[in-house]
């Protein structure tokens, strides 16, 4: 009886935030930098910050940082350090479209060959290219996320820069066929299966009506193993006006003030490092212009970056909610609106309502191959009582 009530409480955003805000206030009395794990739990890599779309709610189109592509030799150095330090997970996507990198299939394979758990996210626009999809499938990422916000032309065009559903579907069909025919059979969080697990991710906007929802599942569910739904945010204040953001019971301004009053530390400073395509190391997946810069990988090692002065300063800022030295974090609404429990609960409810069953549960724990994730409240290693997995 208590478990469902606890799950429901975690989905009520302001309740979750208030409880974690109080936990941080208590913890910072003895641990002003929170509870810092010895190494990051994962590394997020930006193969490129270039993108072939300009989505309505995305800050990429307003980025001034030059478009660059990750140096493969630098990437290999990163992977070798990850193996040495025992960091299990790598994500090949942050700001740009990773399939634009000319060696994206090789980047995947280099990581899987070293035993890392690999996730790659793409807008799916290039997956109909047989050679590209084959290289991704043969690389064997554990998760391949394909993003689309609708399956009807009018809605998808509004949010995704004129993108047509048939482009997404053609790519999705191609990669699913190749996965089923040629995907490597490996041990995975779902047992010994053909990889990759395919998921459809969707940014839920005010345009996601019940009819749009029905068409979405009807079009995409035959080809994917799971769905991941989440809400848009300000992308660290890159998206002024926040178009298509969902309406709430409270006016946005009042809701923002409420969430800011009960904000809790963003979990990224205790969770991950973000290697940008030019070698800059950041700590934020919305850091389009490297404003949350903590150093450079290459001259500095993963461990030096993780334990360095910049990271210590950033953690103290998040524990104290004093962002005078990190103004990008002060303005970002992601931490106010990102609620993993809420998003997972919404995903499962929408699937159930449309009669869609889970093929493979894509909501992975922190170390999918070895152990379980701590409770949602403990995520980030700043909360009192957090445990390692």
């Amino acid at each position: 009886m208590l478990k469902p009530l606890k799950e429901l409480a975690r989905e009520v955003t302001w309740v979750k935030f208030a409880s974690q805000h109080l936990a941080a206030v208590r913890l910072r009395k003895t641990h002003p930098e929170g509870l810092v794990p010895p190494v990051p739990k994962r590394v997020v890599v930006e193969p490129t910050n270039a993108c072939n779309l300009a989505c309505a709610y995305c800050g990429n189109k307003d980025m001034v940082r030059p478009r660059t592509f990750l140096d493969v030799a630098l990437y290999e150095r990163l992977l070798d350090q990850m193996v040495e330090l025992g960091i299990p997970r790598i994500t090949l996507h942050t700001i740009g479209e990773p399939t634009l990198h000319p060696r994206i299939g090789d980047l995947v394979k280099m990581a899987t060959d070293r035993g890392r758990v690999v996730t790659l996210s793409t807008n799916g626009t290039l997956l109909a290219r047989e050679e590209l999809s084959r290289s991704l499938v043969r690389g064997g990422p554990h998760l391949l996320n394909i993003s689309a916000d609708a399956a009807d032309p009018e809605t998808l065009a509004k949010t995704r820069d004129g993108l047509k559903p048939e482009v997404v579907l053609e790519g999705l069909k191609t990669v699913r066929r190749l996965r089923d025919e040629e995907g490597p059979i490996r041990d995975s969080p779902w047992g010994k299966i053909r990889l990759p697990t395919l998921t459809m991710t969707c940014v839920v906007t005010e345009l996601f009506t019940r009819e749009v929802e029905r068409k979405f599942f009807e079009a995409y569910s035959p080809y994917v193993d799971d769905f991941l739904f989440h809400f848009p945010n300000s992308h660290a204040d890159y998206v002024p006006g926040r178009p298509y953001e969902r309406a709430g019971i409270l006016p946005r301004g009042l809701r923002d003030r409420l969430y800011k009053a009960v904000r809790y530390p963003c979990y990224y400073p205790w969770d991950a490092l973000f290697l940008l395509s030019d070698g800059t190391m950041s700590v934020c997946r919305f850091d389009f212009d490297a404003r949350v810069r903590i150093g450079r990988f290459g001259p500095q090692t993963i461990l030096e970056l993780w334990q360095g002065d910049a990271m210590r300063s950033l953690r103290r800022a998040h524990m104290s909610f004093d962002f005078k030295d990190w103004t990008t974090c002060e303005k970002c609404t992601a931490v106010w609106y990102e609620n993993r429990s809420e998003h997972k609960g919404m995903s499962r409810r929408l699937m159930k309502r449309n009669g869609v069953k889970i093929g493979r549960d894509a909501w992975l724990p922190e170390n999918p191959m070895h152990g379980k994730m701590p409770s949602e409240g403990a995520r980030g290693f700043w909360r009192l009582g957090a445990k390692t997995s």
Side-chain angles (χ1 to χ4, degrees):
M1 183 64 182
L2 286 177
K3 186 176 179 180
L5 291 175
K6 288 181 179 178
E7 290 294 330
L8 180 61
R10 282 201 288 266
E11 284 192 43
V12 179
T13 301
W14 72 267
V15 172
K16 175 187 175 183
F17 284 14
S19 66
Q20 297 192 18
H21 175 93
L22 292 173
V25 169
R26 289 196 302 269
L27 180 59
R28 73 188 184 203
K29 294 176 182 177
T30 54
H31 295 78
E33 296 174 18
L35 303 173
V36 184
V39 296
K41 290 173 265 180
R42 58 192 175 118
V43 177
V44 181
V45 172
E46 176 187 82
T48 179
N49 60 332
C51 191
N52 55 352
L53 294 179
C55 299
Y57 45 74
C58 180
N60 183 283
K61 58 186 178 296
D62 301 308
M63 175 177 55
V64 298
R65 182 162 53 104
R67 269 59 175 177
T68 55
F69 294 84
L70 183 67
D71 178 74
V72 175
L74 185 70
Y75 174 71
E76 288 189 285
R77 289 175 64 185
L78 178 90
L79 290 174
D80 290 341
Q81 288 189 26
M82 289 179 65
V83 172
E84 182 181 351
L85 295 171
I87 301 170
R89 294 189 68 172
I90 186 167
T91 297
L92 286 166
H93 167 258
T94 171
I95 287 163
E97 170 48 46
T99 60
L100 292 174
H101 194 290
R103 294 188 61 187
I104 187 60
D106 293 335
L107 299 186
V108 172
K109 191 171 189 304
M110 289 173 189
T112 56
D113 282 351
R114 288 169 171 81
R116 302 307 92 183
V117 177
V118 181
T119 298
L120 185 143
S121 296
T122 170
N123 60 29
T125 54
L126 304 180
L127 293 180
R129 300 178 183 179
E130 190 105 354
E131 184 179 351
L132 171 63
S133 281
R134 180 170 281 112
S135 73
L136 291 176
V137 166
R138 288 181 174 176
H142 295 77
L143 273 176
L144 179 57
N145 299 326
I146 299 97
S147 299
D149 309 325
D152 64 286
E154 183 180 358
T155 304
L156 188 60
K158 286 180 179 178
T159 61
R160 294 271 171 155
D161 194 27
L163 180 61
K164 297 179 180 179
E166 52 265 33
V167 173
V168 179
L169 276 167
E170 185 180 1
L172 189 55
K173 291 175 182 178
T174 300
V175 78
R176 175 60 187 258
R177 171 175 56 80
L178 291 170
R179 191 278 299 270
D180 292 348
E181 293 174 357
E182 304 179 25
I185 300 173
R186 292 179 181 158
D187 289 329
S188 78
W190 309 278
K192 205 173 186 68
I193 55 162
R194 286 195 184 276
L195 294 173
T197 286
L198 301 177
T199 69
M200 179 62 68
T201 66
C202 174
V203 178
V204 179
T205 70
E206 62 180 5
L207 302 177
F208 199 74
T209 63
R210 182 69 178 89
E211 181 60 18
V212 171
E213 173 193 320
R214 184 188 64 78
K215 291 180 180 178
F216 181 89
F217 282 107
E218 187 178 83
Y220 300 129
S221 60
Y223 308 105
V224 299
D225 302 297
D226 203 355
F227 288 87
L228 310 176
F229 291 89
H230 60 100
F231 297 113
N233 59 70
S234 73
H235 280 197
D237 212 35
Y238 273 89
V239 188
R242 288 138 65 183
Y244 305 124
E245 194 170 284
R246 62 173 178 156
I249 298 174
L250 298 174
R252 181 190 292 171
L254 182 57
R255 192 167 73 246
D256 284 356
R257 287 195 295 274
L258 171 63
Y259 287 167
K260 189 173 182 179
V262 296
R263 72 185 302 163
Y264 66 98
C266 174
Y267 58 77
Y268 287 138
W270 292 267
D271 173 70
L273 290 175
F274 288 69
L275 178 64
L276 305 185
S277 53
D278 65 354
T280 300
M281 194 66 86
S282 176
V283 197
C284 176
R285 71 185 180 98
F286 304 119
D287 196 13
F288 296 94
D289 287 313
R291 296 172 179 173
V292 193
R293 182 194 303 260
I294 62 161
R296 289 190 65 81
F297 179 70
Q300 296 168 281
T301 66
I302 289 176
L303 206 56
E304 287 170 344
L305 290 158
W306 185 248
Q307 298 175 348
D309 291 341
M311 283 297 291
R312 296 187 66 187
S313 169
L314 183 63
R315 292 181 184 120
R316 286 194 298 269
H318 278 272
M319 290 298 293
S320 64
F321 312 114
D322 180 358
F323 299 102
K324 62 179 181 297
D325 296 324
W326 302 92
T327 55
T328 297
C329 300
E330 170 68 28
K331 297 177 180 179
C332 184
T333 69
V335 74
W336 311 346
Y337 291 106
E338 289 214 343
N339 184 341
R340 180 179 167 90
S341 295
E342 179 186 23
H343 294 164
K344 183 175 182 179
M346 172 178 62
S347 300
R348 294 295 177 247
R349 285 193 296 272
L350 293 180
M351 291 175 70
K352 183 176 181 180
R353 184 161 76 182
N354 289 273
V356 176
K357 295 183 179 180
I358 304 167
R360 305 173 188 175
D361 187 350
W363 295 80
L364 293 179
E366 287 172 350
N367 189 338
M369 302 298 289
H370 305 285
K372 298 180 180 179
M373 179 186 284
S375 68
E376 287 295 331
R379 187 175 182 179
F381 282 80
W382 55 262
R383 177 151 179 173
L384 193 62
K387 301 175 182 178
T388 58
S389 51

